[in-house]
Amino acid sequence: MHTTTAHPRRTALAALAATAALVAVTGCGSGGKSADAAGDGGRITLRIGTFGSFGYDNETGAGLYAEYERLHPNIKIVESNVADGQKYWDTLKLRLSRDSGLADIQAVEVGYIAEATAPALAGKWADLGTTGGADLGAFLDWKVKQATTADGKVIGLGTDVGPIAVCYNKDLFAEAGLPTDRAQVGALWAGSWDAFLDTARAYRAKAPEGTAFHDSASGLFNAVLSGEPVQYADSKGELDYRNSPGVKKAWEIATAAATGGLTAKLRQFDEKGTWNAGFKNNRFATVACPSWMTGIIKDQAGAGNRGRWDIAPAPVPGNWGGSFLAVPRSGPHVEEAAELAAWLTAPAQHAKVFAVNGNIPSTRETLSSPAVQNARLPFFGDTPVGRIYSETAAGIKAVPISRWDGQVKTFLTDNGILDIEQRGTDPAQAWTNVGKLVDDKIQK
């Protein structure tokens, strides 16, 4: 997910009071041995806390938990999942500070990995370079580096990366007089997010009643920024969003969409499910679509919309999201949890998740395999999903990240762009409001 938002997965939403979310996030107890399922034939219960769509579950995912339980009859796996990545992280930090209430495995979105590896939290995690048997050499080098502490501990194993595309509703495009062939669609905006806005305006002129071109200006902000070489941090990894040319560009594109009537004014991953319902009800024609978003579209649009959606390259390639699995040191089953995390993130399992959920793997072997390169996802028909995303993924370059990236992203999107989009706040005032929040809430 991740990602996500992750992924996140994985898009981080408004920060809520962490104490109000203690029960909601992982649904587990103190994290001690008493949290195991008593009377379950002596099996060990391993709890996994996730957000967004990781694709491991037995219901809509790749059934990896059931497979692992068959291979390890002494293990029972329980996943607790939430949609709100920011609330998840706020609660996870609180639990880490208390060494209490933690799952045996906790997902960490890339926007928070710099904070997770920083001195204040680095000691809270098991070193997965020495515990659990993971093959670190199987992962993309930059993915491992992101999860490595200053003293060389690897605190997270990569799940996915988030190469960007644009998912679009072919039926709505046709009704608005736009092409539906993915090559022609990609050509509409190739190389320019400004051209993407021009396409949005063309759609608006003939839009089917009750629809908008794009789902969310905040999602658009994240997509634009994902392709920029300078994002929230400077070259030293220090937060410097105010002077970032990438943030400036993404803000301008997103606010133009928000003020120009080009979006459905929805908050991605909102807890009321309004955004999810937008897929099912065909309320918008496009969504910025990192690879992990394909699983969300499949689940939320539902079988009735199968074949309606297609995927075209984004105006500018980028990476939005991607996550890690980490193991808290204070857990009762650290070794078993590390082994499960290593298995879930091994190349073979990456391939299985991709085949079902579309999450692009962060292991080299899987990323370049025919299984990914030639893959289709049934919901998207004959769309060459694997080729589209793997081509983008091959060009991803790591950008500097700061420990505050995830938090600042939330302020910019939910307290800045969303206010412009839903409440009509002047963009200049919204930017000032974001700055005050950063100054007030973030302690450097």
Side-chain angles (χ1 to χ4, degrees):
M1 163 23 299
H2 218 263
T3 355
T4 197
T5 37
H7 323 87
R9 150 228 148 202
R10 305 214 179 92
T11 301
L13 302 182
L16 301 178
T19 52
L22 285 175
V23 176
V25 173
T26 62
C28 57
S30 66
K33 295 183 184 296
S34 62
D36 288 351
D40 194 25
R43 288 203 297 172
I44 293 172
T45 297
L46 295 180
R47 303 185 184 276
I48 301 181
T50 65
F51 52 91
S53 180
F54 278 73
Y56 300 148
D57 64 276
N58 304 326
E59 288 73 35
T60 61
L64 296 188
Y65 297 146
E67 181 179 352
Y68 195 82
E69 289 172 345
R70 286 194 298 271
L71 295 171
H72 301 80
N74 65 316
I75 299 292
K76 177 182 178 181
I77 302 170
V78 177
E79 178 186 33
S80 294
N81 175 274
V82 296
D84 190 326
Q86 182 65 57
K87 181 164 61 177
Y88 171 92
W89 177 245
D90 288 343
T91 305
L92 177 54
K93 282 200 300 181
L94 179 61
R95 290 179 166 179
L96 286 168
S97 72
R98 297 174 174 176
D99 287 326
S100 176
L102 293 159
D104 296 282
I105 296 174
Q106 297 278 179
V108 179
E109 205 266 345
V110 65
Y112 306 100
I113 195 64
E115 188 172 2
T117 57
L121 295 180
K124 297 291 186 178
W125 309 103
D127 182 359
L128 299 180
T130 60
T131 306
D135 177 10
L136 298 183
F139 296 91
L140 297 166
D141 290 341
W142 59 266
K143 191 75 171 177
V144 177
K145 184 178 179 180
Q146 285 180 329
T148 302
T149 64
D151 59 356
K153 291 196 310 179
V154 178
I155 64 103
L157 301 177
T159 58
D160 60 334
V161 292
I164 281 281
V166 174
C167 291
Y168 65 98
N169 187 308
K170 292 184 290 186
D171 290 0
L172 294 182
F173 264 49
E175 290 184 53
L178 295 175
T180 59
D181 174 80
R182 72 183 67 92
Q184 294 177 342
V185 169
L188 291 172
W189 51 63
S192 170
W193 285 104
D194 287 315
F196 185 79
L197 294 182
D198 288 339
T199 306
R201 296 181 184 105
Y203 178 91
R204 182 185 59 190
K206 298 182 179 180
E209 185 177 357
T211 72
F213 180 73
H214 202 61
D215 67 320
S216 158
S218 294
L220 183 57
F221 173 90
N222 290 324
V224 176
L225 188 60
S226 77
E228 293 297 310
V230 179
Q231 299 181 8
Y232 302 101
D234 61 21
S235 60
K236 297 179 181 179
E238 298 295 330
L239 180 66
D240 191 24
Y241 78 97
R242 287 183 173 92
N243 298 310
S244 165
V247 169
K248 180 178 185 293
K249 180 177 181 179
W251 179 268
E252 289 175 348
I253 293 291
T255 55
T259 58
L262 305 180
T263 76
K265 301 182 179 181
L266 297 175
R267 179 184 181 186
Q268 291 186 331
F269 306 101
D270 68 300
E271 292 183 332
K272 294 181 179 179
T274 306
W275 178 70
N276 287 340
F279 288 106
K280 187 179 296 293
N281 299 328
N282 299 300
R283 284 194 57 193
F284 43 82
T286 65
V287 59
C289 206
S291 50
W292 46 263
M293 186 71 78
T294 60
I296 293 172
I297 295 173
K298 168 180 68 76
D299 293 343
Q300 300 305 328
N305 284 310
R306 180 171 172 168
R308 287 178 181 260
W309 286 83
D310 208 329
I311 306 172
V316 178
N319 183 78
W320 172 9
S323 296
F324 305 82
L325 297 184
V327 175
R329 286 182 58 193
S330 60
H333 307 297
V334 170
E335 184 174 347
E336 293 88 348
E339 290 172 356
L340 173 57
W343 186 85
L344 288 171
T345 57
Q349 277 59 257
H350 276 202
K352 294 169 189 174
V353 170
F354 173 78
V356 173
N357 232 44
N359 293 11
I360 291 292
S362 59
T363 47
R364 291 191 191 88
E365 174 187 323
T366 323
L367 188 60
S368 62
S369 69
V372 171
Q373 294 288 325
N374 302 326
R376 305 287 195 272
L377 294 176
F379 182 86
F380 292 90
D382 67 350
T383 305
V385 177
R387 178 177 58 79
I388 291 170
Y389 282 117
S390 61
E391 286 179 357
T392 300
I396 292 173
K397 296 181 180 179
V399 300
I401 56 177
S402 81
R403 58 182 297 197
W404 305 113
D405 282 16
Q407 188 74 61
V408 172
K409 178 172 71 173
T410 296
F411 292 153
L412 282 164
T413 55
D414 287 0
N415 300 99
I417 294 169
L418 195 67
D419 281 351
I420 298 169
E421 193 172 36
Q422 294 189 351
R423 300 176 182 86
T425 303
D426 178 75
Q429 183 60 52
W431 180 264
T432 298
N433 294 344
V434 167
K436 291 178 179 178
L437 277 170
V438 172
D439 292 341
D440 182 50
K441 300 294 184 181
I442 291 181
Q443 299 175 355
K444 293 187 181 181

